[in-house]
Amino acid sequence: MGKLDSQVALVTGGTAGIGKGIALKLAAEGAQIAIFGRSAERGQSVLEEINEKYGSGRAAFYQVDVSQKESVSDAIKNVVIDFKQVNILVNNAGVTRDQLLMRMSESDWDEVMDINVKSCYNLSHALVRPMMKARKGKIINISSVVGLTGNTGQANYAASKAAIIGFTKALAKELAARGICVNCVAPGFIKTQMTDALNEQQQETTLSQIPMGRMGSPEDIANAVLFLSCPESDYITGQVITVDGGMVM
């Protein structure tokens, strides 16, 4: 038996990188997985991988623009039709549009805030009421160590990730009495397509900031999300867990 048998988890941005790692990890522990993403091709690939490994019908993909409330609401209705409930929400969707502030366009600012932050509002707002009625649930928001430290050229991204931390703490206080845990995972530098785009000098500079001397993997983040999804974490709420090889101490 898996730790999450009979549970339904919704993972946004679940078609690649950290989100895909989380979806696979939760599925491995018995959860049914609803994956939200923008790329139908990548979504179908993850869907097939999960269903092949863990059984037909274990996962479903929904093509959703998580920055748009109506799109999210419509997709949630379909998830409920397919899976009856959502017990675990992982708000992972995120983008970067890096640039020094003096050169940053308004559209680059707005896109990062809409996808990274507004998506957390859209998904949480849609699912909080049924979780409150059930008097249980897990909401796990994926932030970043950049939301704690800031980073040159990432004013929009750092602001969005800091906002997610504040959102997590406020929502945790609102929902604690209803048995709903709301926590945050703040990854450090994780080896994904995003970090693969760094040049050699940038990667060396990054590694010099990590006491453990290596980048993390999507599975490192997925392990933290799994813990926060399980009953073992039922007395933990409003916390930020950094998974960063010691970058932020």
Side-chain angles (χ1 to χ4, degrees):
M1 292 181 62
K3 295 180 178 179
L4 299 177
D5 286 347
S6 79
Q7 300 292 292
V8 178
L10 193 165
V11 182
T12 69
T15 63
I18 290 173
K20 178 181 177 181
I22 292 169
L24 288 167
K25 177 66 69 172
L26 300 186
E29 289 295 338
Q32 294 177 292
I33 309 295
I35 300 167
F36 280 17
R38 291 191 292 184
S39 170
E41 182 179 355
R42 291 203 307 262
Q44 187 62 32
S45 176
V46 177
L47 174 63
E48 290 174 359
E49 184 175 349
I50 292 175
N51 285 334
E52 182 178 332
K53 284 183 176 179
Y54 306 114
S56 178
R58 177 62 68 84
F61 170 72
Y62 307 83
Q63 192 169 17
V64 185
D65 181 350
V66 292
S67 70
Q68 300 299 313
K69 196 170 192 304
E70 185 175 353
S71 178
V72 168
S73 296
D74 290 342
I76 292 290
K77 291 175 185 176
N78 290 327
V79 172
V80 172
I81 290 171
D82 294 338
F83 293 112
K84 310 304 180 189
Q85 61 185 350
V86 175
N87 312 103
I88 302 159
L89 168 62
V90 183
N91 283 312
N92 168 74
V95 296
T96 58
R97 295 291 181 266
D98 296 350
Q99 186 59 270
L100 294 175
L101 184 65
M102 64 185 293
R103 297 173 183 164
M104 186 179 294
S105 68
E106 184 178 4
S107 63
D108 284 344
W109 175 273
D110 289 345
E111 183 179 9
V112 168
M113 297 302 288
D114 283 348
I115 293 175
N116 296 9
V117 184
K118 192 178 178 186
S119 65
C120 291
Y121 161 78
N122 288 339
L123 270 295
S124 300
H125 189 267
L127 290 171
V128 157
R129 194 176 297 274
M131 284 185 177
M132 290 176 68
K133 187 175 181 180
R135 301 192 72 84
K136 61 181 179 179
K138 303 276 189 167
I139 298 175
I140 302 154
N141 301 316
I142 307 301
S143 179
S144 168
V145 293
V146 171
L148 297 168
T149 65
N151 196 36
T152 301
Q154 290 193 308
N156 50 1
Y157 186 72
S160 73
K161 293 302 185 177
I164 289 171
I165 292 171
F167 176 82
T168 297
K169 291 180 176 292
L171 191 58
K173 289 187 176 183
E174 291 183 17
L175 300 179
R178 297 300 184 102
I180 301 167
C181 299
V182 187
N183 290 291
C184 192
V185 176
F189 284 95
I190 306 301
K191 191 166 180 57
T192 63
Q193 289 181 331
M194 192 181 297
T195 54
D196 286 343
L198 299 174
N199 62 41
E200 185 175 345
Q201 183 178 356
Q202 289 172 321
Q203 292 201 28
E204 288 178 0
T205 300
T206 296
L207 289 174
S208 71
Q209 301 171 27
I210 304 173
M212 293 189 74
R214 65 173 178 86
M215 289 190 185
S217 69
E219 188 171 14
D220 291 321
I221 308 306
N223 286 333
V225 172
L226 173 61
F227 170 68
L228 292 173
S229 301
C230 290
E232 288 85 349
S233 65
D234 281 354
Y235 199 55
I236 299 173
T237 195
Q239 302 305 305
V240 180
I241 298 178
T242 55
V243 184
D244 63 357
M247 279 185 67
V248 179
M249 295 189 186

